[in-house]
């Protein structure tokens, strides 16, 4: 079944189902999938929260990096850096074709450097806090605006261990 945002069986969960028959490998992969699922649930619960530059709480508003930082802290107790440039230096680099639920996706929305971050959901969708006057929402990586500005992705350590 699908709820329109991501399939009920994420890539991580599918990987866990088809993993080695040894209990240890399946348990490890299930744990990673569960963490990514917790991140997604936390992120989806933020839909509609208003954008505020420098914001780091849902009550006052969240900017893109504050949104990502807040979701990972609340969902997993994991501390990410407080700006998109520093977040882009943390974790493991991920190729676009290898994106998994919970990965951080980065964009250049002002000039050439990284200036925006979101959380990858599944099936080419990501969730983010876009800009002043807007609210946390889901967008497609394939949308022309985002496709032209995509810089790369990182997998936070907490989702790869």
């Amino acid at each position: 079944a699908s709820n329109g945002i991501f399939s009920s069986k994420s890539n991580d969960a599918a990987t866990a189902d088809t993993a080695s028959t040894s209990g240890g490998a399946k348990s490890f992969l299930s744990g990673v999938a569960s963490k990514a699922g917790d991140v997604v649930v936390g992120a989806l619960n933020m839909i509609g929260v208003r954008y505020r530059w420098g914001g780091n709480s849902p009550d006052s508003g969240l900017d893109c990096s504050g949104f990502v930082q807040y979701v990972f802290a609340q969902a997993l107790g994991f501390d990410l850096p407080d700006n998109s440039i520093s977040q882009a230096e943390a974790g493991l680099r991920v190729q676009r074709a290898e994106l998994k639920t919970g990965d951080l996706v980065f964009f250049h929305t002002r000039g050439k450097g990284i200036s925006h971050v979101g959380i990858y959901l599944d099936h080419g969708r990501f969730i983010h806090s876009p800009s002043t006057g807007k609210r946390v929402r889901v967008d497609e990586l394939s949308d022309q605006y985002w496709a032209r500005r995509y810089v790369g992705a990182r997998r936070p350590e907490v989702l790869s261990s």
Side-chain angles (χ1 to χ4, degrees), residues 86-142:
S86 296
Q87 289 172 352
E89 296 170 353
L92 305 169
R93 183 169 293 161
V94 178
Q95 297 300 313
R96 190 169 180 158
E98 302 299 320
L99 282 169
K100 291 185 180 179
T101 303
D103 288 345
L104 304 184
V105 288
F106 298 94
F107 305 88
H108 62 85
T109 56
R110 296 184 310 251
K112 293 187 187 252
I114 290 171
S115 55
H116 191 68
V117 60
I119 300 170
Y120 186 74
L121 296 173
D122 204 351
H123 303 295
R125 289 174 274 209
F126 70 104
I127 186 168
H128 62 126
S129 186
S131 60
T132 302
K134 297 182 180 162
R135 297 179 179 272
V136 172
R137 69 182 191 212
V138 174
D139 276 319
E140 301 270 344
L141 287 173
S142 62

